[in-house]
Amino acid sequence: MDMTPQQRYGALTAAQVAALDAAAIDIGVDIVQLMEVAGFQVARLAWTMNGSRPRRVHVVAGHGNNGGDGLVAARHLSAWGCTVTATVHGDPARLSGVVEHQRHAAAQAGVEVSVSADPRDAVAPDGAGLLIDGLLGTGLTGPPRTGHAAVIAGMRGTILSIDVPSGLDADAGTAAGAAVRATATCTLTACKRGLWVAGAQRWTGAVHVADIGMPRQAWKRCGLTAPSAVRGGTVRRVPLPDADLV
């Protein structure tokens, strides 16, 4: 029997994403390990979007795992010769955990990183050829908070969103408020359910799905089946039904 596109590329809900992450941690695969692969895959796609040459890149990161993924991508792009700046949007006094870990690593590796709750500080500097959106992730329900909405409003130009464009409901494929209009989206582990919804590509642009090494046992513990086309370290374009309209 032929597989459906959703079976080949995935159609995870936000709850299933969270369950997979928790299952991976439970079997001993730390979230930082998955984040390192995720950020590397985002950096690979960003490098391709930059014409496979060093260019100026700006990363907008949030306090969650998407922000950590963005900071890992920033570090790899810097290692490949790009001039990279990054802003973590939020209160500097509240930054902790894996995002603080990745902020420190990126800064020590040569990325110019700032942490600020002022949305104006997240605006990409002049000359940035690509903006990486790691502000909000799959857990968002409802409209973004005021500060996040202001950051989203300032995102312009060529944008690569991580997992889903910030502001987009990962399950419904719609936006209840401000949402990033991405040039491309690098969704991780498997495609998200909302990305298959007709019309979602007005926000996502071209969708690529990246293998980040989610353990087979994590899929089994969650009663889920890994998408057949997302393996071998690949980053693959997802053949969405209205892709020819983008």
Side-chain angles (χ1 to χ4, degrees), residues 112-161:
E112 184 181 327
V113 186
S114 63
V115 184
S116 173
D118 188 336
R120 293 172 294 184
D121 292 336
V123 174
D126 291 341
L130 177 68
L131 187 150
I132 296 178
D133 160 34
L135 182 65
L136 301 172
T138 57
L140 178 72
T141 57
R145 295 197 301 266
T146 301
H148 288 146
V151 173
I152 289 169
M155 292 193 199
R156 300 183 180 89
T158 303
I159 302 173
L160 171 59
S161 287

Side-chain angles (χ1 to χ4, degrees), residues 178-198:
V180 169
R181 300 268 181 155
T183 308
T185 297
C186 185
T187 197
L188 306 168
T189 302
C191 201
K192 308 307 180 291
R193 178 175 293 178
L195 302 183
W196 293 102
V197 173

Side-chain angles (χ1 to χ4, degrees), residues 16 28 45 51 120-121 125 140 143 149 160 187 203 222 230 234:
Q16 289 169 337
L45 183 53
R120 293 172 294 184
D121 292 336
L140 178 72
L160 171 59
T187 197
W203 291 285
C222 295
V230 188
T234 189

Side-chain angles (χ1 to χ4, degrees), residues 78-98:
S78 177
W80 300 339
C82 295
T83 300
V84 187
T85 54
T87 301
V88 182
H89 176 68
D91 182 353
R94 294 180 55 199
L95 194 64
S96 61
V98 293

Side-chain angles (χ1 to χ4, degrees), residues 19-42:
L20 279 170
D21 285 345
I25 292 169
D26 192 50
I27 64 175
V29 179
D30 193 275
I31 197 67
V32 174
Q33 292 174 279
L34 293 174
M35 187 175 286
E36 184 65 30
V37 181
F40 178 75
Q41 296 287 50
V42 171

